[in-house]
Amino acid sequence: MKTFKKVYIEITSVCNLACSFCPPTERKAKFIAVEDFAHTLDQIKPHTNHIYLHVKGEPLLHPRIHELLDIAHEKGFRVNITTNGTLIVKNSHKLLGKPALRQMNFSLHSFDGHEGSENREKYLMDIIHFVRQAAAEGVMISFRLWNLQREDATELDQRLNRETLAILEQEFGLDFNIEERVTPGSGVRIAERIFLNQDYEFAWPSLAAPCDDGRGFCHALRSHAAVLVDGTVVPCCLDGEGVINLGNVHQIPFSEIVDGERANRLYEGFSNRQAVEELCKRCGYRQRFGAS
């Protein structure tokens, strides 16, 4: 039986922002029902103990996220949540004190990626207020700035990131500039259980993107898999449109889906450093693991 370090579970396909780096999904707007969430957890339980509550959508929009966390705890799962952070004040009481919550990831690049963002300091201070409480409860925190450019960043890009980092440096009493310690793809510790991670911006794969020779490697269906809000199983968290539809957990057991013909063909292809799915041939993220 295949086991995974984590399985992504999308609890909503709806987002409250429209960020330039994240194409909106063409799928139907949906929030996972509590009973469907419980069913999905039962399906994946033999394969992992860690779940990440995102693919597309903003998980803190889910009105019953506190119940989802309770169910996850009852079934023995540790939970990571990735959020843009704009709804943290309204939802902190639903998150704090939840034993299932292992880590919170805050996509701080969402602030500058969303055209209508206002008041950077308030946005960050609201997040920091929650973070101090969560970290004191043992929750790991990752501040993410995944907006570095492959070429030299513009002066504006550098200035906006510096404004964000300056607030973090001040609030956590750092005696160094974060840029001096962090490298793309890695993180720097800024307080107990609190880290800042920077990385290059990536493009979501699309069938409309250019196709290459398919050489490369991916950890899809090795370290992780994903379940979209309607139950569709996909190989990774970047298949936000469900292009590589391996099956649906409401129709076929998850164990059969991830060991099915299409899933095994993808797995074996990457064992030979070759993408076999058309979407994978158009995914730049694959190049991070080397072309051969």
Side-chain angles (χ1 to χ4, degrees):
M1 178 174 291
K2 292 178 181 176
T3 57
F4 305 109
K5 291 182 179 179
K6 57 197 172 189
V7 172
Y8 296 87
I9 300 179
E10 182 184 69
I11 61 173
T12 179
S13 57
V14 180
C15 190
N16 62 322
L17 300 184
C19 295
S20 58
F21 54 81
C22 185
T25 179
E26 297 179 2
R27 292 181 287 119
K28 181 181 179 181
K30 183 178 177 65
F31 291 83
I32 197 168
V34 171
E35 56 272 22
D36 288 342
F37 181 75
H39 172 76
T40 300
L41 293 190
D42 289 339
Q43 290 283 302
I44 69 171
K45 183 59 181 175
H47 301 270
T48 190
N49 291 319
H50 290 82
I51 56 175
Y52 285 49
L53 300 187
H54 71 284
V55 176
K56 284 293 189 73
E58 167 51 51
L60 298 192
L61 279 172
H62 199 293
R64 301 175 72 176
I65 190 169
H66 54 299
E67 294 181 49
L68 304 186
L69 287 170
D70 289 340
I71 292 170
H73 176 60
E74 292 169 5
K75 295 182 180 294
F77 288 92
R78 302 302 309 281
V79 179
N80 283 32
I81 296 176
T82 297
T83 173
N84 59 44
T86 57
L87 304 174
I88 197 62
V89 173
K90 294 180 179 179
N91 287 277
S92 61
H93 67 288
K94 296 182 179 181
L95 305 172
L96 293 171
K98 295 298 185 183
L101 186 58
R102 173 186 175 271
Q103 181 168 321
M104 291 286 296
N105 305 316
F106 290 92
S107 299
L108 302 185
H109 45 276
S110 300
F111 184 87
D112 292 316
H114 178 69
E115 187 175 344
S117 295
E118 298 179 350
N119 198 337
R120 182 188 309 274
E121 183 173 4
K122 183 181 185 306
Y123 165 73
L124 290 172
M125 293 306 297
D126 285 346
I127 292 174
I128 291 170
H129 178 71
F130 168 84
V131 161
R132 294 190 193 281
Q133 299 177 77
E137 293 183 354
V139 178
M140 301 294 294
I141 303 294
S142 172
F143 293 127
R144 294 179 171 181
L145 278 175
W146 288 5
N147 60 358
L148 299 179
Q149 304 300 310
R150 293 289 176 180
E151 305 298 330
D152 291 338
T154 66
E155 184 176 336
L156 177 60
D157 292 331
Q158 294 174 338
R159 179 175 63 80
L160 295 178
N161 272 358
R162 175 94 293 273
E163 290 177 5
T164 292
L165 295 176
I167 292 173
L168 295 178
E169 290 161 1
Q170 178 179 341
E171 287 302 312
F172 290 98
L174 303 185
D175 58 0
F176 60 89
N177 287 345
I178 291 174
E179 298 102 312
E180 298 173 356
R181 302 283 182 89
V182 68
T183 57
S186 66
V188 60
R189 180 181 178 275
I190 61 176
E192 184 70 24
R193 301 189 184 90
I194 303 173
F195 298 83
L196 186 285
N197 297 85
Q198 283 195 287
D199 209 338
Y200 293 109
E201 181 178 337
F202 67 89
W204 285 79
S206 166
L207 291 178
C211 179
D212 60 24
D213 63 4
R215 297 299 296 170
F217 180 76
C218 181
H219 292 282
L221 295 178
R222 295 176 187 272
S223 68
H224 62 274
V227 184
L228 301 182
V229 68
D230 66 350
T232 298
V233 177
V234 292
C236 76
C237 64
L238 294 185
D239 187 359
E241 293 304 303
V243 173
I244 308 175
N245 183 343
L246 300 176
N248 192 293
V249 295
H250 301 306
Q251 301 165 358
I252 307 170
F254 182 82
S255 297
E256 292 183 18
I257 292 173
V258 296
D259 200 29
E261 180 181 352
R262 189 174 186 181
N264 285 331
R265 187 169 63 247
L266 182 149
Y267 183 99
E268 292 165 4
F270 281 125
S271 294
N272 296 314
R273 300 300 190 267
Q274 182 67 45
V276 299
E277 290 283 349
E278 289 302 311
L279 185 68
C280 299
K281 295 176 183 178
R282 292 165 168 79
C283 180
Y285 204 85
R286 166 172 46 86
Q287 302 302 328
R288 298 188 179 203
F289 307 110
S292 61

